[in-house]
Amino acid sequence: MVFISPGVKFDLGLIKKYDTAAPRYTSYPPATELSEAFTTTDFHTAIAASNQRKSPLSFYFHIPFCQSACYFCGCNTVISNNKNIAKPYLEHLAQEIKHMSTLIDPDRKVLQIHWGGGTPNYLELDQVEFLWNKITQNFDLDPQAEISIEINPRYVDKEYIFFLRELGFNRISFGIQDFNSEVQIAVNRIQPEELLFNVMDWIKAAKFDSVNVDLIYGLPYQTLQTFRETIKKTVALDPNRIVVFNFAYVPWLKPAQKNIPQVALPKPQEKLEILKMTIEELTSSEYLFIGMDHFAKPNDELAIAQRDRTLQRNFQGYTTHAGTDLFGFGATSISMLNDAYIQNHKQLKDYYQAVANNVLPVSKGINLTPDDIIRRDVIMCIMSHFQLYKQDIEEKHRINFDQYFSQELEALQPLAADGLIKLSANYIQITDIGRLLVRNIAVAFDQHNQTQERQFSRTI
Ligand code: SF4
């Protein structure tokens, strides 16, 4: 038995029972539903509707380059040590920003910016400044905007960190994955402990508002003991947020994983023990279990947003600022508007060609139906707040919840019997045990659900 909050326990048998494949619900419908039938005209229509709503803006900028391949990674990256390849990319990104600025109402403020990848700090400092200037020259940033960047700790120095902070970045995130050197060698990501502590010292000295670190459990050669060491060292680093991803071994989808010896992966039972220990260690070290794989200190914005019910999910995971329209820039990036999701071309040549022709670089997308929007509200409420008041959904969407979702409520009965949820006349409450298995609960409301083991990762 393990305690995930005081007085609450769960057994591993229950976790095993629900260890099935399910979407991570960073969006609903999931990104797998995006279709090439969606056109640039559809995107223009969606932007016009977004302007009508006048909702504030959230931006994502994708930098797809990395200096070397981490074998666990499933991101769409270009591996190269030739820094010149970033130059044409930035020029096209600048052109995309300019084009989008002519389409988005200039009165709309930007509340949130995130640079992800790939490796955003693949860029040289003058390139970072170039992109920053293009953003600030074309859009109106709120003075309180949350501006975050992912960095690879192997490729920064103190000057780089301080430069980011002076430019205006106020949140930062970096991947640790595992402190253990044998694991690091096996996944081709060698970053000594001393380096990680130095990077954290520079970040703290530069006074970033929040620091997130990522860990991964289920990597080759991990054991309960080695990962306990990793958790203890991570707590000693003292980040504001910790995300502990479950490693999904899917080499048929992510070719770099073929470099990982399958026999070295921890067995399912050991993975569960690692998960249990991780939750125990972090929740007894002042971190709150936000949900799924996220932990945050009680005074962190993520924990505050959960308390204020403004937490939501987007393609980066949990995020603050519900109610913004997210526009993605750069190859692969996804825009999430209220009633449409749009993905840019993945291949650089397709992205370059569209941008050069002053055409929105749309590769696929989806227009949400009214039913999708109702279900999204339900699923996001479950995923982010772990409780749903039926009346909120009924008033917002003018439905009778119990009638509209009669089959779904029926399907949830066995989960209620297993203690994952409490079903009452007025609300659905996810229990502390259910938080770990929240994808299994959300999937009951997924109309697009054609869950395939090969398409989605397992829930634990
Ligand atoms: S984990 Fe990060 S640095 Fe490593 S290959 Fe993936 S995107 Fe690049």
Side-chain angles (χ1 to χ4, degrees):
M1 291 294 191
V2 59
F3 293 83
I4 59 175
S5 66
V8 179
K9 347 181 208 184
F10 68 89
D11 65 71
L12 294 179
L14 194 59
I15 306 285
K16 268 189 201 163
K17 177 177 172 182
Y18 286 96
D19 181 20
T20 55
R24 291 178 56 78
Y25 293 117
T26 49
S27 70
Y28 180 80
T32 46
E33 294 299 309
L34 272 56
S35 144
E36 288 176 3
F38 191 96
T39 64
T40 52
T41 307
D42 292 325
F43 196 6
H44 279 281
T45 305
I47 296 170
S50 167
N51 283 333
Q52 291 281 324
R53 286 190 300 276
K54 298 189 185 298
S55 42
L57 300 167
S58 184
F59 285 167
Y60 173 76
F61 295 90
H62 189 72
I63 310 297
F65 310 110
C66 295
Q67 269 135 302
S68 63
C70 310
Y71 295 156
F72 53 81
C73 179
C75 298
N76 186 46
T77 58
V78 177
I79 310 292
S80 173
N81 274 313
N82 174 12
K83 293 284 187 95
N84 289 333
I85 57 172
K87 196 164 180 280
Y89 185 78
L90 285 177
E91 283 162 2
H92 286 85
L93 201 46
Q95 204 168 332
E96 187 190 7
I97 291 168
K98 179 91 195 139
H99 185 191
M100 198 55 94
S101 74
T102 65
L103 303 176
I104 295 178
D105 182 340
D107 289 340
R108 299 173 71 186
K109 279 203 185 295
V110 183
L111 292 190
Q112 212 169 30
I113 293 179
H114 183 77
W115 290 21
T119 306
N121 59 304
Y122 187 93
L123 302 179
E124 305 289 352
L125 290 180
D126 61 324
Q127 295 176 321
V128 171
E129 189 169 24
F130 171 84
L131 178 55
W132 176 272
N133 288 341
K134 292 297 169 193
I135 299 167
T136 52
Q137 286 159 6
N138 285 284
F139 292 101
D140 188 11
L141 263 59
D142 188 281
Q144 305 300 322
E146 291 176 11
I147 306 174
S148 56
I149 185 167
E150 296 166 15
I151 58 158
N152 186 324
R154 288 175 293 169
Y155 305 117
V156 283
D157 56 17
K158 189 174 179 184
E159 182 198 354
Y160 202 107
I161 296 283
F162 273 73
F163 183 81
L164 292 176
R165 186 69 188 97
E166 280 158 22
L167 208 51
F169 288 93
N170 47 34
R171 274 93 176 144
I172 198 160
S173 176
F174 65 94
I176 296 173
Q177 326 311 356
D178 195 313
F179 275 93
N180 183 275
S181 57
E182 192 181 13
V183 177
Q184 291 187 359
I185 291 166
V187 299
N188 197 36
R189 187 174 171 120
I190 299 165
Q191 38 189 37
E193 185 177 329
E194 189 188 354
L195 177 143
L196 295 169
F197 276 87
N198 282 343
V199 168
M200 188 58 116
D201 284 346
W202 301 330
I203 290 172
K204 290 194 171 167
K207 299 195 185 311
F208 279 80
D209 293 343
S210 181
V211 190
N212 175 87
V213 300
D214 294 340
L215 302 175
I216 303 180
Y217 77 97
L219 291 178
Y221 304 109
Q222 272 178 354
T223 67
L224 182 60
Q225 189 48 38
T226 64
F227 205 67
R228 190 188 299 278
E229 287 299 310
T230 283
I231 294 289
K232 286 187 183 302
K233 287 173 183 171
T234 304
V235 170
L237 266 184
D238 194 32
N240 305 78
R241 300 176 192 173
I242 302 170
V243 184
V244 190
F245 290 110
N246 173 15
F247 175 56
Y249 183 68
V250 283
W252 55 91
L253 292 177
K254 300 172 184 176
Q257 292 184 0
K258 289 181 183 152
N259 294 302
I260 292 178
Q262 191 173 5
V263 290
L265 297 173
K267 300 280 175 290
Q269 179 66 29
E270 181 143 36
K271 265 184 89 175
L272 289 179
E273 298 285 349
I274 290 173
L275 174 66
K276 171 184 157 186
M277 175 278 299
T278 298
I279 296 169
E280 277 175 333
E281 290 284 343
L282 292 181
T283 53
S284 60
S285 306
E286 76 170 310
Y287 289 92
L288 297 178
F289 183 45
I290 298 295
M292 278 185 62
D293 29 34
H294 283 58
F295 299 81
K297 289 196 173 182
N299 60 356
D300 184 78
E301 287 145 351
L302 219 51
I304 294 168
Q306 191 169 51
R307 282 200 291 278
D308 295 348
R309 295 179 74 81
T310 55
L311 191 69
Q312 71 169 13
R313 287 185 66 74
N314 69 13
F315 289 105
Q316 279 92 55
Y318 285 106
T319 174
T320 56
H321 287 307
T324 51
D325 271 342
L326 169 67
F327 284 87
F329 295 83
T332 313
S333 66
I334 297 180
S335 298
M336 286 178 72
L337 310 186
N338 182 54
D339 46 13
Y341 305 153
I342 305 95
Q343 181 161 32
N344 280 357
H345 290 296
K346 285 187 179 173
Q347 299 300 327
L348 288 185
K349 69 171 177 33
D350 298 332
Y351 171 73
Y352 289 168
Q353 190 179 0
V355 172
N357 291 331
N358 216 26
V359 171
L360 292 172
V362 174
S363 80
K364 50 189 177 176
I366 184 171
N367 280 312
L368 275 63
T369 65
D371 178 65
D372 287 335
I373 291 172
I374 296 170
R375 289 174 187 276
R376 177 181 60 190
D377 271 3
V378 171
I379 288 173
M380 292 305 149
C381 193
I382 288 171
M383 296 292 297
S384 301
H385 309 308
F386 306 103
Q387 61 181 182
L388 176 146
Y389 292 99
K390 295 177 184 176
Q391 194 180 347
D392 291 348
I393 302 292
E394 289 178 331
E395 286 174 359
K396 186 169 175 191
H397 298 290
R398 298 172 188 274
I399 59 165
N400 177 304
F401 191 94
D402 287 348
Q403 282 175 10
Y404 198 91
F405 291 115
S406 60
Q407 287 180 3
E408 289 79 358
L409 290 169
E410 193 59 38
L412 287 175
Q413 289 294 342
L415 284 75
D418 278 337
L420 305 190
I421 47 174
K422 289 181 184 146
L423 297 173
S424 91
N426 301 323
Y427 62 83
I428 298 172
Q429 176 78 43
I430 317 303
T431 64
D432 279 16
I433 306 164
R435 282 186 179 217
L436 266 179
L437 298 161
V438 67
R439 293 154 76 178
N440 302 72
I441 299 161
V443 81
F445 294 93
D446 184 345
Q447 191 73 358
H448 294 263
N449 175 33
Q450 293 149 1
T451 302
Q452 296 165 15
E453 291 274 327
R454 292 171 66 85
Q455 197 165 14
F456 298 113
S457 58
R458 300 179 81 80
T459 49
I460 294 295

